[in-house]
């Protein structure tokens, strides 16, 4: 009987609470009207349930027989579990340091890695390799797997595994699994900061800038500009090892929407197109370095060595020494050597009396008179000449005159229109692309709300 009273009271209270949440303004108005009409009269609220003090208290006692202590300890001793942890190798790693980050406390495993030449070579003094460990509840190593991409296709896997007494090691070669990922983001400060926040690889961010170089001025992005991208990934054992080509992308900047999708006709070179079929191929890439940030633009600045205020006639790209430098367009090497403050410098001659300049290089991989294609690697970032640190100084010159790279980036390249026979396949791909990008932007909108 008491239970029915309590259930009824809870049901009534929940309905009253729901009514107040649903119609707060209406109820407030009714209460105000009652108070005004009462002229200051007294009001009382009666309890709708029985007096809690008069409800009898019922005590329930139940006998519980505990397990013997020895039984409980035996069960705990028999219980075991495996932990899985992943890390990335560092150039300074020792066996103890790497295993420590993986949560392994196993002197025998450390000694084995130090003493085995194959394991030592694959795991120590090797930066950037993905390592996964299976660890017992006692922090002992059951299995360790390292994966990396050597020169060529596929990937390599090295496995160190417990063999009861001691460990065994084996090396394996396997193929990468191709897949796609969809990501999106909102610009707060810069494109690269936004792609970092969205966990988009630098290689994909650089491609995004290349694709829309003629449509979007990435130096003048607005807060709130947004983007979505679908790109290839290559995985090993379920872990992403590297990214591939952008398959579709959309960029909304200043209220203008720009879309692109990758399409390749049979027997022809692929490229990026707008959904209506117009080519987005440009004569020049937006950046000669794939994974870099602009550290100094085409503008007036204080010269870091001469300490004078002067025009900076190019763009400086901050990047570690040795980072590959690529030709931004098709051309012929006009100069490859040293020039005073430029240090090691390559000048590539393009059509229409336009040249590109790549300076402060640590290495030059081309010779005078050699033809180069867009995206071909021609050297490496360095700090030769007048440079305070490793970076690439890059210039555009038209008839010998310095020119703002933002102007050159808008020049269209040569691209034959899509053939009539390939139009149906292109239209089908364009529809699928719009659906994927719309889904990505719905995630961006949800997170922003």
């Amino acid at each position: 009987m008491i239970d029915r009273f309590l259930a009824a009271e809870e049901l009534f209270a929940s309905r009253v609470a729901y009514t107040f949440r649903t119609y707060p303004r209406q109820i407030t108005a009714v209460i105000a009207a009652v108070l005004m009409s009462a002229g200051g009269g007294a009001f009382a609220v009666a309890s709708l349930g029985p007096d809690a003090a008069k409800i009898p208290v019922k005590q329930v006692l139940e006998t519980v027989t505990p397990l013997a202590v020895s039984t409980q300890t035996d069960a705990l001793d028999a219980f075991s579990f495996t932990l899985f942890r992943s890390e990335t190798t560092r150039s300074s790693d020792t066996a103890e340091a790497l295993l420590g980050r993986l949560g392994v406390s196993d002197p025998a495993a450390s000694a084995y890695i130090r003493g085995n030449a194959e394991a030592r070579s694959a795991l120590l003094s090797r930066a950037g390799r993905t390592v996964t460990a299976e660890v017992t509840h006692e922090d002992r190593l059951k299995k360790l797997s390292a994966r990396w991409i050597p020169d060529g296709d596929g990937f390599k896997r090295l496995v160190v595994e417990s063999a009861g007494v001691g460990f065994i090691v084996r090396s394996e070669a396997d193929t990468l699994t191709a897949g796609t990922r969809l990501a999106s983001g909102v610009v707060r400060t810069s494109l690269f900061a936004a792609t970092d926040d969205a966990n988009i690889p630098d290689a994909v961010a650089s491609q995004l800038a290349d694709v829309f170089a003629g449509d979007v001025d990435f130096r003048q992005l607005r807060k709130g500009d947004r983007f979505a991208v679908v790109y290839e990934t290559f995985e090993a054992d379920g872990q992403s090892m590297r990214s591939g080509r952008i398959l579709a992308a959309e960029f909304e900047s200043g209220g203008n929407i720009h879309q692109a999708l990758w399409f390749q006709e049979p027997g022809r070179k692929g490229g990026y197109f707008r959904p209506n079929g117009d080519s987005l191929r440009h004569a020049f890439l937006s950046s000669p370095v794939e994974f870099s940030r602009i550290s100094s633009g085409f503008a007036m600045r204080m010269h870091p060595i001469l300490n004078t205020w002067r025009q900076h006639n190019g763009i400086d790209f901050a990047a570690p020494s040795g980072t590959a430098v690529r030709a931004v367009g098709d051309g012929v090497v006009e100069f490859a050597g040293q020039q005073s403050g430029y240090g090691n410098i390559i000048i590539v001659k393009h059509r229409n009396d336009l040249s590109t300049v790549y300076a402060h290089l640590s290495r030059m991989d081309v010779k005078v008179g050699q033809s180069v294609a867009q995206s071909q690697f021609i050297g490496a970032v360095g700090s030769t000449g007048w440079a305070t640190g490793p970076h690439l100084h890059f210039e555009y010159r038209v008839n010998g005159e310095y020119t703002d790279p933002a102007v050159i980036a808008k020049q269209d390249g040569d691209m034959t229109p899509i053939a009539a026979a390939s139009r149906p396949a292109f239209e089908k791909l364009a529809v699928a692309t719009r659906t994927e990008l719309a889904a990505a932007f719905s995630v961006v909108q949800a997170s922003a709300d």
Side-chain angles (χ1 to χ4, degrees):
M1 187 68 173
I2 293 173
D3 292 340
R4 285 199 296 270
F5 266 105
L6 293 174
E9 186 175 0
E10 290 179 359
L11 177 62
F12 180 81
S14 64
R15 289 181 176 175
V16 170
Y18 171 79
T19 303
F20 269 87
R21 288 196 304 269
T22 308
Y23 308 104
R25 294 182 180 178
Q26 293 88 334
I27 292 174
T28 302
V30 171
I31 293 175
V34 171
L35 291 173
M36 291 176 65
S37 63
F43 295 89
V45 179
S47 174
L48 299 177
D51 188 349
K54 296 179 180 180
I55 298 176
V57 177
K58 185 177 180 180
Q59 190 174 25
V60 178
L61 300 176
E62 185 176 347
T63 302
V64 178
T65 303
L67 292 173
V69 173
S70 60
T71 303
Q72 296 182 52
T73 56
D74 290 343
L76 288 173
D77 290 339
F79 180 74
S80 65
F81 56 87
T82 300
L83 296 174
F84 294 83
R85 296 188 177 98
S86 294
E87 259 293 342
T88 302
T89 59
R90 303 173 184 173
S91 59
S92 59
D93 270 339
T94 62
E96 287 78 10
L98 175 60
L99 293 179
R101 293 203 307 278
L102 290 164
V104 178
S105 179
D106 191 337
S110 299
Y112 183 82
I113 291 174
R114 285 197 309 272
N116 183 275
E118 193 174 6
R120 186 174 62 248
S121 175
L123 297 171
L124 307 183
S125 301
R126 299 281 189 177
R129 292 186 173 180
T130 303
V131 180
T132 302
E134 298 179 26
V135 187
T136 70
H137 66 287
E138 295 176 330
D139 297 335
R140 296 291 185 261
L141 181 66
K142 289 182 63 177
K143 182 179 179 180
L144 183 146
S145 301
R147 305 168 192 83
W148 68 94
I149 299 177
D151 295 335
D153 297 328
F155 73 98
K156 281 194 171 184
R157 182 194 300 112
L158 178 126
V159 179
V160 175
E161 193 167 11
S162 174
V165 178
F167 294 86
I168 58 174
V169 64
R170 66 179 184 273
S171 294
E172 303 165 342
D174 209 337
T175 57
L176 291 166
T177 302
T180 59
R181 286 192 179 181
L182 188 150
S184 54
V186 178
V187 174
R188 306 299 181 193
T189 55
S190 68
L191 172 64
F192 276 99
T195 53
D196 285 346
D197 290 341
N199 294 319
I200 295 174
D202 278 356
V204 176
S206 294
Q207 289 183 63
L208 188 64
D210 287 340
V211 170
F212 293 117
D215 296 326
V216 179
D217 185 350
F218 288 99
R219 299 174 303 175
Q220 302 294 329
L221 294 178
R222 299 174 175 84
K223 184 177 181 179
D225 287 353
R226 58 181 192 162
F227 58 87
V229 61
V230 181
Y231 62 94
E232 295 174 318
T233 61
F234 296 92
E235 300 179 346
D237 300 334
Q239 293 187 332
S240 179
M241 299 294 289
R242 67 177 176 87
S243 58
R245 176 187 294 121
I246 286 180
L247 302 176
E250 181 171 332
F251 208 104
E252 182 177 334
S253 178
N256 297 315
I257 297 176
H258 310 281
Q259 291 183 330
L261 63 147
W262 172 266
F263 184 71
Q264 184 171 9
E265 298 181 65
R268 292 177 57 180
K269 186 177 180 180
Y272 291 99
F273 296 84
R274 294 187 175 90
N276 64 1
D278 290 344
S279 171
L280 276 169
R281 186 179 189 275
H282 298 284
F284 301 98
L285 300 175
S286 62
S287 170
V289 185
E290 288 182 319
F291 320 118
S292 67
R293 270 68 164 166
I294 293 176
S295 57
S296 184
F298 188 86
M300 294 293 292
R301 69 163 186 177
M302 178 64 70
H303 195 281
I305 293 180
L306 301 179
N307 292 320
T308 57
W309 190 256
R310 58 172 57 194
Q311 171 68 29
H312 186 229
N313 292 316
I315 294 179
D316 288 346
F317 293 89
S321 183
T323 302
V325 174
R326 57 185 180 170
V328 296
D330 300 338
V332 177
V333 177
E334 187 176 48
F335 183 87
Q338 291 187 338
Q339 283 188 5
S340 60
Y342 284 108
N344 293 332
I345 179 175
I346 294 174
I347 302 176
V348 178
K349 182 77 171 180
H350 307 278
R351 58 182 174 85
N352 299 328
D353 294 319
L354 188 147
S355 300
T356 51
V357 177
Y358 313 79
H360 304 315
L361 301 171
S362 63
R363 187 182 73 246
M364 296 178 286
D365 299 330
V366 292
K367 299 178 180 179
V368 174
Q370 180 179 338
S371 295
V372 295
Q374 187 178 72
S375 297
Q376 179 179 332
F377 294 127
I378 59 175
V381 171
S383 54
T384 57
W386 296 349
T388 56
H391 70 280
L392 175 74
H393 176 81
F394 175 71
E395 296 176 0
Y396 277 110
R397 300 175 183 175
V398 179
N399 291 319
E401 297 293 329
Y402 301 110
T403 304
D404 187 349
V407 176
I408 304 297
K410 296 182 181 297
Q411 293 186 7
D412 293 330
D414 298 324
M415 192 69 180
T416 306
I418 298 172
S422 299
R423 271 286 176 177
F426 176 81
E427 296 293 343
K428 183 178 180 180
L429 179 62
V431 170
T433 294
R434 280 192 286 266
T435 302
E436 288 181 311
L437 294 175
F441 273 130
S442 68
V443 175
V444 172
Q445 184 62 44
S447 62
D449 293 342

